[in-house]
PDB file of all heavy atoms in Angstrom:
ATOM      1  N   TYR A 240      36.845  15.169   5.347  1.00 91.00           N
ATOM      2  CA  TYR A 240      36.873  16.729   5.353  1.00 91.00           C
ATOM      3  C   TYR A 240      36.601  17.176   3.874  1.00 91.00           C
ATOM      4  O   TYR A 240      35.771  18.007   3.589  1.00 91.00           O
ATOM      5  CB  TYR A 240      38.223  17.176   5.881  1.00 91.00           C
ATOM      6  CG  TYR A 240      38.399  18.641   5.781  1.00 91.00           C
ATOM      7  CD1 TYR A 240      37.832  19.481   6.833  1.00 91.00           C
ATOM      8  CD2 TYR A 240      39.048  19.283   4.756  1.00 91.00           C
ATOM      9  CE1 TYR A 240      37.985  20.812   6.733  1.00 91.00           C
ATOM     10  CE2 TYR A 240      39.203  20.607   4.678  1.00 91.00           C
ATOM     11  CZ  TYR A 240      38.681  21.406   5.700  1.00 91.00           C
ATOM     12  OH  TYR A 240      38.818  22.712   5.697  1.00 91.00           O
ATOM     13  N   TRP A 241      37.394  16.599   2.919  1.00 91.00           N
ATOM     14  CA  TRP A 241      37.265  17.117   1.600  1.00 91.00           C
ATOM     15  C   TRP A 241      35.949  16.645   0.995  1.00 91.00           C
ATOM     16  O   TRP A 241      35.311  17.426   0.191  1.00 91.00           O
ATOM     17  CB  TRP A 241      38.472  16.616   0.789  1.00 91.00           C
ATOM     18  CG  TRP A 241      39.639  17.431   1.162  1.00 91.00           C
ATOM     19  CD1 TRP A 241      40.806  16.972   1.803  1.00 91.00           C
ATOM     20  CD2 TRP A 241      39.910  18.819   0.845  1.00 91.00           C
ATOM     21  NE1 TRP A 241      41.668  17.950   1.978  1.00 91.00           N
ATOM     22  CE2 TRP A 241      41.142  19.108   1.378  1.00 91.00           C
ATOM     23  CE3 TRP A 241      39.180  19.809   0.170  1.00 91.00           C
ATOM     24  CZ2 TRP A 241      41.661  20.410   1.379  1.00 91.00           C
ATOM     25  CZ3 TRP A 241      39.727  21.038   0.118  1.00 91.00           C
ATOM     26  CH2 TRP A 241      40.961  21.351   0.695  1.00 91.00           C
ATOM     27  N   VAL A 242      35.512  15.445   1.268  1.00 92.00           N
ATOM     28  CA  VAL A 242      34.172  15.012   0.823  1.00 92.00           C
ATOM     29  C   VAL A 242      33.125  15.980   1.282  1.00 92.00           C
ATOM     30  O   VAL A 242      32.237  16.384   0.523  1.00 92.00           O
ATOM     31  CB  VAL A 242      33.895  13.580   1.278  1.00 92.00           C
ATOM     32  CG1 VAL A 242      32.411  13.257   1.128  1.00 92.00           C
ATOM     33  CG2 VAL A 242      34.713  12.621   0.493  1.00 92.00           C
ATOM     34  N   PHE A 243      33.249  16.392   2.563  1.00 93.00           N
ATOM     35  CA  PHE A 243      32.217  17.242   3.046  1.00 93.00           C
ATOM     36  C   PHE A 243      32.196  18.613   2.309  1.00 93.00           C
ATOM     37  O   PHE A 243      31.255  19.173   1.982  1.00 93.00           O
ATOM     38  CB  PHE A 243      32.509  17.562   4.580  1.00 93.00           C
ATOM     39  CG  PHE A 243      31.454  18.355   5.261  1.00 93.00           C
ATOM     40  CD1 PHE A 243      30.352  17.746   5.736  1.00 93.00           C
ATOM     41  CD2 PHE A 243      31.582  19.736   5.393  1.00 93.00           C
ATOM     42  CE1 PHE A 243      29.336  18.476   6.262  1.00 93.00           C
ATOM     43  CE2 PHE A 243      30.575  20.468   5.967  1.00 93.00           C
ATOM     44  CZ  PHE A 243      29.451  19.833   6.453  1.00 93.00           C
ATOM     45  N   VAL A 244      33.517  19.120   2.038  1.00 92.00           N
ATOM     46  CA  VAL A 244      33.626  20.389   1.301  1.00 92.00           C
ATOM     47  C   VAL A 244      32.850  20.208  -0.046  1.00 92.00           C
ATOM     48  O   VAL A 244      32.091  21.111  -0.448  1.00 92.00           O
ATOM     49  CB  VAL A 244      35.087  20.771   1.146  1.00 92.00           C
ATOM     50  CG1 VAL A 244      35.173  21.871   0.145  1.00 92.00           C
ATOM     51  CG2 VAL A 244      35.718  21.045   2.445  1.00 92.00           C
ATOM     52  N   LEU A 245      33.142  19.173  -0.731  1.00 92.00           N
ATOM     53  CA  LEU A 245      32.502  18.948  -2.083  1.00 92.00           C
ATOM     54  C   LEU A 245      31.033  18.933  -1.964  1.00 92.00           C
ATOM     55  O   LEU A 245      30.347  19.585  -2.727  1.00 92.00           O
ATOM     56  CB  LEU A 245      33.041  17.679  -2.687  1.00 92.00           C
ATOM     57  CG  LEU A 245      34.407  17.689  -3.249  1.00 92.00           C
ATOM     58  CD1 LEU A 245      34.775  16.274  -3.833  1.00 92.00           C
ATOM     59  CD2 LEU A 245      34.581  18.719  -4.387  1.00 92.00           C
ATOM     60  N   LEU A 246      30.495  18.141  -1.074  1.00 92.00           N
ATOM     61  CA  LEU A 246      29.089  17.973  -0.930  1.00 92.00           C
ATOM     62  C   LEU A 246      28.454  19.315  -0.568  1.00 92.00           C
ATOM     63  O   LEU A 246      27.438  19.741  -1.109  1.00 92.00           O
ATOM     64  CB  LEU A 246      28.726  16.960   0.103  1.00 92.00           C
ATOM     65  CG  LEU A 246      29.118  15.501  -0.132  1.00 92.00           C
ATOM     66  CD1 LEU A 246      28.845  14.617   1.118  1.00 92.00           C
ATOM     67  CD2 LEU A 246      28.393  14.978  -1.333  1.00 92.00           C
ATOM     68  N   MET A 247      29.187  20.006   0.354  1.00 92.00           N
ATOM     69  CA  MET A 247      28.591  21.229   0.859  1.00 92.00           C
ATOM     70  C   MET A 247      28.446  22.326  -0.192  1.00 92.00           C
ATOM     71  O   MET A 247      27.534  23.113  -0.260  1.00 92.00           O
ATOM     72  CB  MET A 247      29.512  21.860   1.918  1.00 92.00           C
ATOM     73  CG  MET A 247      28.958  21.656   3.407  1.00 92.00           C
ATOM     74  SD  MET A 247      27.285  22.042   3.599  1.00 92.00           S
ATOM     75  CE  MET A 247      27.289  23.817   3.830  1.00 92.00           C
TER      76      MET A 247
END
Side-chain angles (χ1 to χ4, degrees):
Chain A
Y240 177 83
W241 287 108
V242 163
F243 187 83
V244 170
L245 285 179
L246 295 175
M247 256 315 274

